[in-house]
């Protein structure tokens, strides 16, 4: 037993462990490549900063600062030593609102993306893997959902369902999956023709085994890259919906801050500290996700890597 | 939106078949598909307002309908007391006749209201789309041809930043900077409206006044769309750069500009054309926020007003028009693509 191992210099490993080792090695390779992308790393840096701010919000600024009734700052006061980014129309510190708003914006963006990814991946796999009527119906469904205009639907849904954080997540999640589904479908179509899937089928693997063990792991990297791009769009959507007054009125997000700033006429009264910072935060976070997504796409898609 | 959509996705909309068909049957197939989508949209439109959880009399009435008699009157006015299949049939019949109901707010037929408000939107979005296409495609071509150069770096980072920006926030910044003025800089442009209230919009003075009012909103939308087009054009031209036919063209002795314009750009325009045509379908939705910010009386502002009222029929009609627009643009995009590139007629 030991002689064979000594001759090759390796420890005996089970198939499962070998798979895991290879996956870990692939992740390490991917990370090494990602690190060489300057724009991707910049995006990652910005994102880490905002995630830390969102997680540490209770330490950075007391949540009492969000309470309109206890706010005692000046009305629309300009930035000063005490209020670094000035105050809003209720005398609350804009910086506090900004810090707490990051939680809602990131939360909505991530949760909506999760919903969209689950629906999109599932339908993409099914419509790509199964031919026949199942594939055709799921594909048509995807095409139909693709043409539903997002904002009008969101407006209609908000007027029918009412305004809450969960409804916003639902609206964004339910409208943003078709792009993912099409991407996954085209990947699945090409993967299911490959020799190793054919081999698995030849030795008796069932359909769901093939999907779960062979197709899905190969599609996952694309799902991952697509996810980061979808988060960017989800955060933009949340901001827009809140700006249009469709957001949860009880919670502060960057979008709802911009809504109130616009409503009270920050533009004409010149209180720039109320309307510029939330917008800049949105741009930075969305840009971060976009840069990371693009870098990931290049790492994971050799065709893109070759051309740049 | 389209940054996520790989250009290949749009063309791969049918199952892979090796047999190619003629344009006529391709056209027939696509028209059938569009009719299917339209039917789906009608069903969605109908059920959105009637079957979703919650009592329409409660959510749409916003607590103003308190007594049962009031609720019954509301349901009767909207035909909500009839059985569902009957309601659906009435809905289909009325929509086919162009009857979209009467606006609660304005007391005029919704179809008139939408027709009247369509033009400011078309003017605003049409102008911006043309400008954005021309500038975006130019930036994309120039950036991709000398990729990694200074021009490419600046234009790509500019496009990415614009892409990450909510377009209405950009509009607000433009209003603050160029409309209201800041610090010691005076404002130049009007901050909102389609034209000044005291001019006749069809006179020469009125047309000039409208143009002056549209400068900021059109700039906003142009910048917002431009980012999309330049990024897509750049990436689809980069896809072509490694191709052998470009090497052949160079070997024939063509100049660089000729290789670019006659060979590479022609092929790279295919996905870009599709995405531009698709985006035109989303114009109605794209204008919502910018019209709100600049108070331009178009379809977008109409829908926001209807939302606040709430004006049930206007919202439904608006949603119908918005989705029909997308389906039509989708069809046109497919037809153009099939005409330009026979390979997709599979």
């Amino acid at each position: 037993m030991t002689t064979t191992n000594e001759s090759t210099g390796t420890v005996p490993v089970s198939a499962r462990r070998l798979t895991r080792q290879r996956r870990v090695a692939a992740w390490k390779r991917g990370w090494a490549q990602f690190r060489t992308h300057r724009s991707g790393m910049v995006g990652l840096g910005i994102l880490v900063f905002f995630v830390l701010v969102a997680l540490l919000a209770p330490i950075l600024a007391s949540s009492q600062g969000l309470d309109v009734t206890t706010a005692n700052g000046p009305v629309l006061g300009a930035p000063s030593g005490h209020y670094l980014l000035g105050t809003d129309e209720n005398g609350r510190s804009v910086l506090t609102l900004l810090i707490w708003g990051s939680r809602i914006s990131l939360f909505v963006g991530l949760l909506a993306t999760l919903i969209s990814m689950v629906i999109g991946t599932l339908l993409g796999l099914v419509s790509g893997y199964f031919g026949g009527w199942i594939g055709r119906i799921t594909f048509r469904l995807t095409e139909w959902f693709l043409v539903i205009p997002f904002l009008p639907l969101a407006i209609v849904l908000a007027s029918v369902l009412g305004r809450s954080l969960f409804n916003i997540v639902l609206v964004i999640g339910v409208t943003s999956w078709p792009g993912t589904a099409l991407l996954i479908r085209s990947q699945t179509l090409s993967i299911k023709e490959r020799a190793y899937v054919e081999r698995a089928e030849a030795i008796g693997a069932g359909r769901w085994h093939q999907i779960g063990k062979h197709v899905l792991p190969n599609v996952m990297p694309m799902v991952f890259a697509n996810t980061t791009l979808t988060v960017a769009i989800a955060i933009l959507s949340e901001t827009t919906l809140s700006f249009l007054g469709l957001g949860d009125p009880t919670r502060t997000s960057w979008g709802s801050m911009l809504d109130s700033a616009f409503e009270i006429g920050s533009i004409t009264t010149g209180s720039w500290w109320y309307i510029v910072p939330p917008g800049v935060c949105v741009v930075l976070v969305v840009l971060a996700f976009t840069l990371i997504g693009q870098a990931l796409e290049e790492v994971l898609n050799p065709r893109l890597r070759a051309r740049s | 939106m389209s940054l996520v959509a790989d250009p290949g996705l749009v063309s791969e909309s049918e199952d892979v078949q090796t047999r190619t068909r003629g344009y006529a049957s391709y056209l027939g197939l696509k028209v059938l598909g569009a009719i299917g989508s339209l039917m789906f949209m009608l069903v969605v439109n109908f059920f959105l307002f009637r079957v979703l959880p919650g009592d329409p009399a409660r959510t749409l009435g916003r607590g103003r309908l308190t007594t049962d008699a009031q609720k019954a009157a509301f349901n009767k006015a909207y035909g909500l007391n009839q059985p569902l299949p009957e309601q659906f049939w009435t809905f289909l019949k009325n929509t086919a006749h162009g009857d979209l109901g009467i606006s609660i707010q304005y007391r005029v037929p919704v179809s008139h209201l939408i027709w009247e408000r369509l033009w400011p939107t078309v003017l605003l979005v049409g102008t911006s789309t043309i400008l954005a296409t021309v500038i975006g495609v130019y930036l994309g071509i120039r950036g991709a041809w000398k990729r990694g150069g200074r021009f490419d770096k600046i234009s790509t980072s500019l496009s990415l930043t614009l892409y990450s920006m909510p377009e209405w926030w950009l509009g607000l910044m433009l209003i603050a900077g160029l409309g209201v003025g800041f610090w010691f800089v005076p404002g130049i442009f009007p901050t909102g409206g389609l034209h000044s209230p005291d001019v006749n919009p069809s006179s020469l003075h009125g047309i000039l006044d409208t143009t002056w009012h549209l400068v900021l909103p059109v700039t906003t939308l142009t910048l917002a769309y431009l980012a999309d087009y330049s990024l897509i054009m750049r990436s689809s031209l980069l896809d072509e750069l490694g191709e052998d036919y470009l090497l052949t063209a160079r070997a024939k002795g063509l100049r660089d500009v000729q290789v670019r314009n006659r060979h590479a750009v022609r092929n790279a325009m295919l996905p870009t054309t599709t995405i531009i045509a698709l985006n035109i379908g989303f114009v109605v939705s794209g204008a919502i926020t910018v019209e709100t910010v600049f108070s331009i009386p178009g379809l977008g502002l109409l829908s926001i007003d209807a939302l606040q009222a709430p004006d049930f029929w206007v919202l439904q009609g608006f949603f119908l028009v918005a989705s029909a627009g997308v389906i039509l643009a989708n069809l046109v995009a497919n037809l153009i693509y099939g005409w330009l590139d026979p390979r997709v007629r599979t």
Side-chain angles (χ1 to χ4, degrees):
Chain A
M1 172 187 157
T2 45
T3 47
T4 47
N5 291 326
E6 272 161 14
S7 61
T8 53
T10 53
V11 190
V13 286
S14 67
R16 192 177 292 255
R17 199 148 151 220
L18 189 69
T19 318
R20 197 183 310 147
Q21 278 179 358
R22 290 212 175 136
R23 292 235 167 102
V24 170
W27 278 103
K28 277 187 183 153
R29 258 199 323 274
W31 169 240
Q33 271 168 13
F34 184 85
R35 267 204 322 220
T36 62
H37 273 269
R38 213 173 50 176
S39 59
M41 289 306 284
V42 169
L44 196 63
I46 301 174
L47 186 63
V48 166
F49 171 76
F50 276 100
V51 168
L52 282 179
V53 166
L55 289 177
L56 300 177
I59 300 170
L60 294 172
S62 157
S63 64
Q64 277 184 337
L66 298 173
D67 194 350
V68 184
T69 51
T70 57
N72 50 7
V75 171
L76 283 178
S80 61
H82 190 60
Y83 296 104
L84 287 177
L85 281 175
T87 55
D88 72 349
E89 77 276 19
N90 293 314
R92 297 180 293 179
S93 159
V94 172
L95 187 61
T96 306
L97 295 178
L98 211 56
I99 290 170
W100 283 86
S102 70
R103 291 191 142 194
I104 301 298
S105 296
L106 283 173
F107 173 77
V108 170
L110 292 173
L111 199 61
T113 305
L114 186 71
I115 294 179
S116 146
M117 279 303 131
V118 170
I119 304 178
T121 310
L122 212 63
L123 277 172
L125 277 175
V126 168
S127 80
Y129 185 80
F130 295 101
W133 61 272
I134 301 180
R136 223 167 287 155
I137 286 181
T138 44
F139 178 54
R140 281 277 160 250
L141 202 69
T142 314
E143 274 207 327
W144 284 338
F145 268 89
L146 197 66
V147 296
I148 298 183
F150 164 69
L151 256 187
L153 178 70
I155 289 175
V156 169
L157 278 181
S159 71
V160 178
L161 291 175
R163 291 152 202 203
S164 76
L165 196 64
F166 180 71
N167 283 348
I168 277 222
V169 170
L170 200 71
V171 168
I172 299 173
V174 164
T175 45
S176 56
W177 62 267
T180 312
L182 285 185
L183 183 73
I184 301 304
R185 179 177 182 267
S186 67
Q187 286 280 306
T188 309
L189 279 175
S190 87
I191 286 169
K192 80 167 181 184
E193 300 298 330
R194 289 187 192 165
Y196 59 85
V197 180
E198 212 173 313
R199 171 198 160 274
E201 193 170 3
I203 58 173
R207 286 181 157 175
W208 291 106
H209 178 88
Q210 286 179 41
I211 292 182
K213 291 277 174 185
H214 297 289
V215 180
L216 189 63
N218 281 294
V219 174
M220 266 340 254
M222 283 311 282
V223 175
F224 201 53
N226 192 240
T227 304
T228 47
L229 291 174
T230 310
V231 177
I233 290 170
I235 290 178
L236 272 181
S237 306
E238 189 275 333
T239 316
T240 301
L241 290 181
S242 301
F243 176 69
L244 292 175
L246 300 173
D248 191 334
T250 61
R251 287 172 210 268
T252 303
S253 76
W254 293 332
S256 71
M257 287 175 75
L258 288 168
D259 182 31
S260 346
F262 179 60
E263 289 298 321
I264 60 142
S266 270
I267 293 291
T268 37
T269 56
S271 39
W272 56 267
W273 55 89
Y274 196 13
I275 206 153
V276 174
V280 171
C281 285
V282 172
V283 174
L284 282 176
V285 168
V286 173
L287 191 64
F289 276 110
T290 310
L291 289 177
I292 295 172
Q294 284 191 332
L296 276 178
E297 260 188 345
E298 267 180 50
V299 168
L300 300 168
N301 189 344
R303 200 172 57 93
L304 289 177
R305 205 186 317 152
R307 76 183 187 187
S308 55
Chain B
M1 299 268 158
S2 27
L3 194 69
V4 184
D6 189 78
L9 288 179
V10 189
S11 61
E12 275 179 349
S13 53
E14 287 298 321
D15 285 322
V16 182
Q17 285 178 344
T18 42
R19 193 167 58 94
T20 50
R21 282 199 214 99
Y23 193 65
S25 59
Y26 172 79
L27 189 136
L29 211 70
K30 289 295 167 193
V31 170
L32 269 182
I35 292 173
S37 301
L38 203 63
M39 289 312 289
F40 176 74
M41 289 316 305
L42 282 173
V43 173
V44 168
N45 204 332
F46 176 78
F47 283 98
L48 262 183
F49 285 94
R50 289 166 185 86
V51 179
L52 279 173
D55 178 10
R58 190 176 54 78
T59 41
L60 290 168
R62 290 279 149 68
R64 263 175 261 150
L65 308 166
T66 42
T67 66
D68 283 345
Q70 275 176 320
K71 274 182 197 157
F74 178 89
N75 283 339
K76 190 153 183 283
Y78 284 121
L80 292 171
N81 52 354
Q82 290 168 346
L84 215 56
E86 203 170 307
Q87 283 186 42
F88 187 54
W89 178 242
T90 320
F91 167 74
L92 282 185
K93 229 170 31 188
N94 288 348
T95 310
H97 285 114
D99 174 11
L100 300 173
I102 310 261
S103 158
I104 303 172
Q105 245 181 320
Y106 299 95
R107 301 274 164 203
V108 290
V110 171
S111 45
H112 287 203
L113 204 58
I114 287 181
W115 183 250
E116 191 186 291
R117 297 291 198 94
L118 185 64
W119 299 111
T121 303
V122 168
L123 187 66
L124 167 66
V125 177
T127 320
S128 322
T129 307
I130 294 171
L131 284 174
T133 309
V134 173
I135 303 171
V137 165
Y138 170 77
L139 289 180
I141 292 175
R142 226 188 122 175
W145 204 245
K146 296 236 161 70
R147 65 187 182 287
R150 199 210 300 218
F151 183 87
D152 184 34
K153 272 183 188 148
I154 293 173
S155 97
T156 305
S157 33
L158 207 68
S159 297
L160 274 173
T161 313
L162 284 172
Y163 174 83
S164 309
M165 208 175 271
E167 70 275 9
W168 44 269
W169 186 72
L170 178 64
L172 289 176
M173 293 299 108
L174 286 179
I175 295 178
L178 300 171
V180 179
F182 58 98
W183 204 15
F184 63 87
V185 184
I188 313 165
F189 292 100
T191 54
L194 188 59
H195 50 76
S196 307
D198 53 342
V199 297
N200 173 14
S202 49
S203 66
L204 179 68
H205 178 63
I207 292 171
L208 287 176
D209 186 61
T210 306
T211 314
W212 190 239
H213 274 77
L214 279 177
V215 170
L216 284 188
V218 165
T219 310
T220 308
L221 270 184
T222 304
L223 288 173
Y225 292 153
L226 175 155
D228 246 9
Y229 299 150
S230 86
L231 289 171
I232 285 156
M233 188 65 211
R234 179 175 182 273
S235 102
S236 44
L237 189 56
L238 282 181
D239 275 342
E240 300 294 328
L241 287 185
E243 299 288 328
D244 290 338
Y245 71 87
L246 288 185
L247 198 66
T248 313
R250 285 214 177 81
K252 282 195 301 190
L254 292 186
R255 277 182 292 123
D256 195 48
V257 180
Q258 288 175 317
V259 174
R260 189 182 75 188
N261 293 349
R262 288 205 196 151
H263 294 271
V265 169
R266 280 201 174 185
N267 280 294
M269 274 309 283
L270 287 171
T272 315
T273 313
T274 318
I275 281 159
I276 291 168
L278 277 178
N279 271 8
I280 291 174
F282 286 94
V283 295
V284 180
S285 12
I288 293 178
T289 50
V290 173
E291 279 177 13
T292 308
V293 166
F294 287 95
S295 22
I296 291 170
L299 277 182
L301 198 60
L302 178 71
S303 73
I304 293 298
D305 288 344
L307 174 72
Q308 269 143 13
D311 201 335
F312 180 84
W313 296 124
V314 171
L315 278 177
Q316 182 178 292
F318 169 71
F319 186 63
L320 195 70
V321 171
S323 38
V326 181
I327 293 169
L328 196 70
N330 216 329
L331 180 66
V332 172
N334 273 318
L335 295 186
I336 294 177
Y337 206 128
W339 181 57
L340 290 176
D341 186 355
R343 283 173 302 181
V344 297
R345 293 181 218 159
T346 49

